[in-house]
Amino acid sequence: MPPKHLRMLDQMSLTPEQIARYERDGFLVLEGFVDEQACDLLRVRAEELVRDFDPSGVISVFSTREQTRNSDDYFLESGNKIRFFFEEHAFLPDGSLRQTKEQSINKIGHALHDLDSAFDRFSRTSEIEQLVSDLGIDDPLLLQSMYIFKQPKIGGAVTCHQDATFLYTEPLRLIGLWFALEDATIENGCLWVISSGHKLGLKSRFVRAEGGGSRVEVFDDKGWPEEKLQPLEVKQGTLIVLHPLLPHLSRENRSSRSRQAYTLHIIDASVDYPRDNWLQRSPDMPLRGF
Ligand SMILES: O=C(O)CCC(=O)C(=O)O
């Protein structure tokens, strides 16, 4: 019998087969990575954040005549903040909310892991540190976090994309972690992936435009082979690990159940992080590791 600490380390590490599967398929499904209590604590904390959020200021951001410009800035400045983003159809023509704020929010982003202690605790565990190290991130920095609600009935779709489109590094050293905080099924809008699609190359980059706002740089305008998409129906507590080039999406949620998830993106400190990536930190809030 190996000494206890070795056994512990063994359990926390990915097996060579899991690493090979990640490299072959571009994703990995790890059931029971977090326990039910940790999921529930995060859900309660997200509920509190929404309860304490006053939407009136944000509603004005989205409802003035300069709507596109203002909503762009609200997003582009959120890399070191906790900001609330609404479902696409949340607003009436007069700028007021169609339904309660609790039922209108699509997601919270993008620095929950640095600004909120509950999210910090969930995000900075030795298990996550070990996992990203097993996948080649030697000097990790936690870059981005998002809490995604996928609201019952109105949860919007996320179109097929690669995470490196939004968070690009040179060389590409980014890992996406998607935690199911509730059971995710086809009905409530689970993730879908194109297995091995990370070998197709980067199709585009979403970058800051020189004069303000954002633009998309396209390298390859062929569509995705969407016939190859496969659903990942997973239980609460499952972690889906995503390669930065893996094409994935989620469909609308028309069911009566939400499909809440937390995502975390981690880069290696050794890479070049371009100044035109949309997500930028202010100098007083540098990225941190575990
Ligand atoms: O949770 C979802 O619906 C999609 C999230 C996603 O694709 C992403 O964060 O890159």
Side-chain angles (χ1 to χ4, degrees), residues 240-264:
I240 300 177
V241 185
L242 296 166
H243 186 283
L245 293 177
L246 187 80
H248 60 285
L249 59 75
S250 69
R251 304 197 197 282
E252 291 176 329
N253 180 12
R254 292 286 168 261
S255 80
S256 54
R257 288 190 306 118
S258 60
R259 190 241 57 197
Q260 300 189 14
Y262 176 60
T263 69
L264 187 62

Side-chain angles (χ1 to χ4, degrees), residues 2-43:
K4 195 161 188 271
H5 69 275
L6 273 185
R7 240 183 27 244
M8 289 280 294
L9 195 65
D10 248 20
Q11 286 166 4
M12 283 166 53
S13 295
L14 291 176
T15 62
E17 292 73 31
Q18 285 173 318
I19 296 172
R21 205 177 320 140
Y22 173 79
E23 280 162 8
R24 185 194 67 198
D25 299 340
F27 70 98
L28 208 49
V29 177
L30 301 172
E31 264 181 48
F33 190 89
V34 283
D35 62 29
E36 194 182 320
Q37 195 195 6
C39 294
D40 291 345
L41 281 174
L42 215 61
R43 284 169 46 204

Side-chain angles (χ1 to χ4, degrees), residues 146 148 150 158 161 163 178 191 248 250 259 263:
M146 289 192 285
I148 304 169
K150 209 58 143 175
V158 175
H161 68 280
D163 288 344
W178 189 97
L191 279 190
H248 60 285
S250 69
R259 190 241 57 197
T263 69

